[in-house]
Amino acid sequence: MSIAVLGSINMDLVAEVKRLPAVGETVQAVRMESYPGGKGANQAVAAARLGSTVRMFGKVGDDDTGDLLLERLRSEGVEESCVTRQARCTTGRACIWVGEQGENAIVFGPGANAGVDAGYVDAVLPQLEHARLVLLQLEVPISAVKRVLRRLPRPGPTVILDPAPAVPLEELHLARVDILTPNQGELATLTGKRDQGVAAKQMLDQGVGCVICKNGAEGCRMFSNEGAFGVPPFRVDAVDTTAAGDAFNGALAAALLLGLELPEAMRWGNAAGALTATRRGAQPSLPRRDELNTVLDGSRWVDARIYCDDAGYPDGTGNTVSR
Ligand code: RIB
């Protein structure tokens, strides 16, 4: 059994800046790089690097960037034969600004991702049905996500929906979502409520099975109709938080595929997100299983600090220190 990810595949252009520019302002980047990204592809690679069998579903353009991103998926062991090329279309792109604290702002241009339509969903649905978990995000048209949720049988795969970027979810069949994974900003945007418990209750009332709110440096919290609990963070010096949320979802899914209980799966998510934030870029920053194990084993429900070298990579000395 495997994980199926239906979602976006992008090339990211990342500008590191001392501070994010204000409206009308020009700032000079400290560094500019391109990295493979896209919330869907990031989640697929995150799960694959942790040992899961992963199939990617989505679209790239008929350009060189599409070739390159497909090759990157293959090299990560992600099965990509169902990703199709959108004719006369560019591959999805994202412009990302990363500030000195690792905070970011993203502008996403869907390109070929916008071609994930009803016909595509219908064509791949039999394969989605055979997965153990289906991971969705909102960088493909919401009409496609709506169709998947309407058509996936129950009993069937566990569905994890990452509502990013946050757009109104009313038209979705939320009763088919087992786990909704907003970050705190997205949960507030979706509900208009600042209090997480109140906001999560609103989503539960709309039918989702449970809400896991990703609180970044504060860890994460799970809310269901049976109760709520939090899982504490692994503390790191963040260099670039891009894809930290995607790493969380990929790791959560990988852990659930292995049969781990939800609190432990959330702990995997926290660890993967923390490690990802210590490195630059989206897919290059996603951790492998041995790195994750180091963090998980090094700190049983306590904080860990990962020290990084100047390039933002762990310095290879095993400096994962429990506090
Ligand atoms: O979640 C991070 C991703 O969001 C980036 O890789 C970028 O492609 C954007 O879509």
Side-chain angles (χ1 to χ4, degrees):
M1 286 294 240
S2 63
I3 294 171
V5 182
L6 185 134
S8 58
I9 305 166
N10 300 335
M11 182 60 86
D12 297 346
L13 178 62
V14 181
E16 269 180 55
V17 289
K18 287 207 173 298
R19 60 180 175 76
L20 306 188
V23 174
E25 190 184 20
T26 302
V27 299
Q28 183 172 327
V30 177
R31 182 195 308 252
M32 285 188 95
E33 298 284 352
S34 288
Y35 301 104
K39 294 183 194 306
N42 295 345
Q43 295 186 11
V45 171
R49 284 194 179 179
L50 298 178
S52 301
T53 301
V54 183
R55 279 185 161 209
M56 181 79 211
F57 298 84
K59 292 196 174 187
V60 293
D62 55 359
D63 50 7
D64 292 348
T65 307
D67 292 337
L68 198 141
L69 294 180
L70 286 178
E71 170 50 31
R72 291 306 295 264
L73 286 173
R74 274 192 293 275
S75 70
E76 294 287 352
V78 174
E79 213 288 310
E80 43 67 59
S81 60
C82 289
V83 176
T84 60
R85 315 294 297 246
Q86 186 77 356
R88 294 175 303 283
C89 195
T90 55
T91 295
R93 293 195 173 92
C95 296
I96 305 181
W97 299 336
V98 178
E100 274 197 319
Q101 309 304 315
E103 76 279 20
N104 67 31
I106 300 179
V107 178
F108 153 65
N113 296 300
V116 176
D117 55 12
Y120 179 80
V121 169
D122 291 350
V124 301
L125 200 70
Q127 308 194 54
L128 297 180
E129 285 176 14
H130 281 107
R132 165 83 178 77
L133 296 105
V134 172
L135 274 54
L136 304 167
Q137 322 77 32
L138 299 177
E139 285 187 334
V140 294
I142 195 150
S143 54
V145 175
K146 180 179 178 183
R147 201 167 183 92
V148 173
L149 294 177
R150 274 274 163 224
R151 302 208 160 191
L152 265 187
R154 198 190 275 287
T158 297
V159 175
I160 304 178
L161 172 62
D162 194 4
V167 295
L169 301 181
E170 281 78 31
E171 63 176 285
L172 297 184
H173 177 46
L174 290 175
R176 190 61 188 85
V177 175
D178 297 287
I179 306 176
L180 186 77
T181 61
N183 64 29
Q184 53 197 132
E186 289 154 358
L187 184 57
T189 301
L190 290 175
T191 60
K193 305 282 189 314
R194 284 271 144 215
D195 182 281
Q196 266 180 29
V198 174
K201 171 81 168 60
Q202 190 169 315
M203 298 313 305
L204 293 171
D205 289 347
Q206 289 176 39
V208 304
C210 80
V211 177
I212 296 177
C213 188
K214 297 181 279 192
N215 291 323
E218 309 298 321
C220 60
R221 293 172 74 190
M222 196 287 305
F223 304 86
S224 73
N225 286 322
E226 284 69 54
F229 63 84
V231 177
F234 296 91
R235 298 212 183 281
V236 294
D237 291 329
V239 170
D240 176 359
T241 55
T242 306
D246 300 328
F248 182 102
N249 280 52
L252 180 81
L256 292 175
L257 191 67
L258 287 175
L260 301 182
E261 297 294 331
L262 194 55
E264 184 63 7
M266 289 163 64
R267 205 167 151 263
W268 275 45
N270 281 349
L275 281 164
T276 298
T278 65
R279 297 183 279 224
R280 294 191 166 90
Q283 287 169 33
S285 70
L286 299 166
R288 297 185 187 281
R289 183 66 187 272
D290 56 342
E291 298 173 286
L292 195 85
N293 286 345
T294 304
V295 174
L296 292 171
D297 297 346
S299 95
R300 284 252 161 247
W301 297 95
V302 294
D303 296 341
R305 182 176 292 272
I306 320 297
Y307 294 94
C308 295
D309 63 18
D310 287 340
Y313 287 86
D315 62 14
T317 58
N319 276 344
T320 303
V321 181
S322 298
R323 296 194 299 173

